Amino acid sequence: TQLLEQSPQFLSIQEGENLTVYCNSSSVFSSLQWYRQEPGEGPVLLVTVVTGGEVKKLKRLTFQFGDARKDSSLHITAAQPGDTGLYLCAGAKDKLIFGTGTLLAVQP
Amino acid sequence: DAGITQSPRHKVTETGTPVTLRCHQTENHRYMYWYRQDPGHGLRLIHYSYGVKDTDKGEVSDGYSVSRSKTEDFLLTLESATSSQTSVYFCAISRSGGISTDTQYFGPGTRLTVL
């Protein structure tokens, strides 16, 4: 089974801090997606990165796809309580393979 | 929001009983998926469907069966529930096969507890 490992598993920070979440695999993916999931709801797509080395920005969130298309990172600048949730990466091969998840809590 | 509903939203059942979860979509998307979500495992694919009566197994299909008799409905059945099937189950839909750049839209989930 192909695995996408995310780190850290849990992260609790204060409002205004910066953070980075990592998504790593030994497999190459054709693209990589990031989802955010809030309690009691299903995941919602944030972004898709396709090209090795690609960087995409969504307001205070910056997503990067590794050059070899095996890993990705999510950087949040000046985190806010509204960023609280479970962040999931998902790599695309013949199907979508989801990562293990990073649970982020931003304290006001 | 994509029109996806799941029923029931919560269910408690006993070991050995059959259980059926329903996913209903109003988007007319071709692909439908069933995932289970457990701590430390992220989302794992159970079964998926690429059209009416066309289904295939995912990563963790043992103990589960599915049926899709209409485009809008995808049923997941646990023939004889076991405690290891206690989980949160998510249905998802997508226009194409979920590969490359296509988006999967998720339902709100069903929390199943098997005692």
Side-chain angles (χ1 to χ4, degrees), chain A:
Chain A
T1 304
Q2 299 140 346
L3 283 178
L4 267 171
E5 294 288 340
Q6 288 185 235
S7 60
Q9 271 190 295
F10 305 99
L11 194 54
S12 181
I13 61 172
Q14 296 295 315
E15 182 176 0
E17 292 184 20
N18 302 331
L19 66 118
T20 302
V21 176
Y22 299 94
C23 173
N24 295 297
S25 176
S26 56
S27 297
V28 175
F29 296 102
S30 57
S31 66
L32 198 131
Q33 299 179 344
W34 283 93
Y35 290 78
R36 181 168 69 204
Q37 183 179 13
E38 299 189 12
E41 299 181 8
V44 176
L45 181 68
L46 295 173
V47 77
T48 301
V49 285
V50 179
T51 307
E54 182 178 1
V55 176
K56 278 193 175 179
K57 291 192 174 185
L58 186 66
K59 295 183 181 178
R60 294 174 295 99
L61 279 60
T62 301
F63 304 85
Q64 183 162 10
F65 201 10
D67 290 342
R69 305 206 318 277
K70 294 182 180 181
D71 54 79
S72 181
S73 64
L74 157 61
H75 182 79
I76 301 180
T77 303
Q80 298 178 1
D83 295 327
T84 292
L86 178 68
Y87 288 81
L88 294 160
C89 63
K93 291 180 82 79
D94 55 338
K95 298 179 194 56
L96 211 55
I97 310 295
F98 280 84
T100 49
T102 294
L103 187 60
L104 172 65
V106 182
Q107 312 297 333

Side-chain angles (χ1 to χ4, degrees), chain B residues 52-101:
Chain B
V52 174
K53 292 187 171 37
D54 292 323
T55 65
D56 204 350
K57 295 179 180 180
E59 178 188 1
V60 290
S61 59
D62 286 349
Y64 302 95
S65 62
V66 290
S67 65
R68 191 170 178 197
S69 58
K70 298 186 289 185
T71 298
E72 57 267 35
D73 290 325
F74 193 31
L75 304 180
L76 176 70
T77 297
L78 290 66
E79 303 290 347
S80 178
T82 67
S83 58
S84 64
Q85 294 176 312
T86 292
S87 187
V88 181
Y89 291 85
F90 286 97
C91 173
I93 64 174
S94 69
R95 286 191 184 87
S96 68
I99 59 174
S100 190
T101 58

